[in-house]
Amino acid sequence: MKLLHIDSSVLADNSVSRQLTARITREWVAKNPDTTVEYLDLAKEAPTHLSFDSLGFRLGLAADQLTEVQRTENQHTQALLQQFLAADVIVVGAPMYNFSVPSQLKAWIDRVAQAGHTFKYTENGPVGLAGDKTVIVASTRGGFYSTSDVMRALDHQESYLKSVFGFFGISNVRFVRAEGMSMGDAVKNESLAAAEKEIAALA
């Protein structure tokens, strides 16, 4: 079994989502000792955002028509795609930044979202091609976005990740949520304790 551990927070050791993904990965490996882990730190190794050059893999050009920059971007894209496809379990650290996910995580998703690899279009609509995976998202938020309709309407973090992984055909998407991280130590500690209980039950 292969587990891909992804972090996207820019806060280094101060990141709660990084603490949670590390804890989730340790728990999974402890309960599934045959697991091999590969680590991807998107804050340190972020793919570039989509541009004409980074879209080279989608332009339908022959290899000899690509520029050197496009070839390099293609190689990076293919490496990220193959890494994702090879994983059975993906643990994603996804803090909420301005109601959504970090741009580094979005850039990674843009690279692995490839027709013919993670999804395809049919006469009956899109079909996901990566459905045999488990995704566990460590979701952290400064406030509370799951407790009211008003705040849920502002959530373009968990809702987006559930939608995009669902588009890839992955129905087994689980969230370990830690909310209220900016609302004082008491609230933070209570939320982290609840997240710990969720992690213990995951694997």
Side-chain angles (χ1 to χ4, degrees):
M1 180 184 296
K2 293 184 178 180
L3 184 151
L4 176 57
H5 175 181
I6 300 174
D7 280 322
S8 63
S9 170
V10 300
L11 296 181
D13 293 340
N14 295 317
S15 165
V16 175
S17 68
R18 286 176 180 269
Q19 296 170 26
L20 293 179
T21 59
R23 178 76 175 85
I24 291 167
T25 299
R26 287 196 302 270
E27 187 74 18
W28 188 280
V29 172
K31 294 183 177 179
N32 301 275
D34 64 329
T35 302
T36 59
V37 178
E38 191 166 356
Y39 182 63
L40 178 60
D41 189 338
L42 292 174
K44 294 181 179 179
E45 302 177 72
T48 59
H49 295 294
L50 289 185
S51 65
F52 184 80
D53 286 327
S54 65
L55 276 173
F57 67 95
R58 293 173 177 156
L59 296 179
L61 300 177
D64 60 357
Q65 294 178 291
L66 298 174
T67 67
E68 190 59 37
V69 173
Q70 288 172 332
R71 289 191 188 97
T72 299
E73 290 288 353
N74 280 357
Q75 291 169 358
H76 192 191
T77 295
Q78 285 304 110
L80 292 172
L81 175 63
Q82 294 307 315
Q83 183 184 52
F84 171 73
L85 292 176
D88 303 292
V89 181
I90 298 99
V91 176
V92 182
M96 177 183 276
Y97 289 176
N98 299 317
F99 309 115
S100 187
V101 298
S103 63
Q104 294 89 341
L105 180 55
K106 176 62 165 59
W108 174 82
I109 290 170
D110 286 340
R111 297 302 183 104
V112 300
Q114 289 195 42
H117 296 282
T118 49
F119 67 93
K120 65 180 179 180
Y121 291 110
T122 74
E123 60 184 11
N124 297 317
V127 175
L129 301 176
D132 57 344
K133 301 180 185 301
T134 295
V135 173
I136 304 171
V137 178
S139 166
T140 55
R141 292 108 171 267
F144 284 88
Y145 291 82
S146 66
T147 56
S148 73
D149 290 340
V150 171
M151 296 306 286
R152 277 191 289 271
L154 299 176
D155 171 18
H156 306 289
Q157 170 212 23
E158 290 186 11
S159 59
Y160 168 68
L161 292 173
K162 187 173 182 180
S163 294
V164 75
F165 286 122
F167 190 78
F168 295 165
I170 304 172
S171 58
N172 190 8
V173 181
R174 315 178 196 179
F175 289 89
V176 174
R177 183 185 299 130
E179 296 190 288
M181 295 296 97
S182 300
M183 300 179 71
D185 288 343
V187 173
K188 179 178 179 179
N189 291 336
E190 182 178 351
S191 187
L192 288 175
E196 283 288 331
K197 292 180 180 180
E198 291 182 43
I199 292 170
L202 275 176

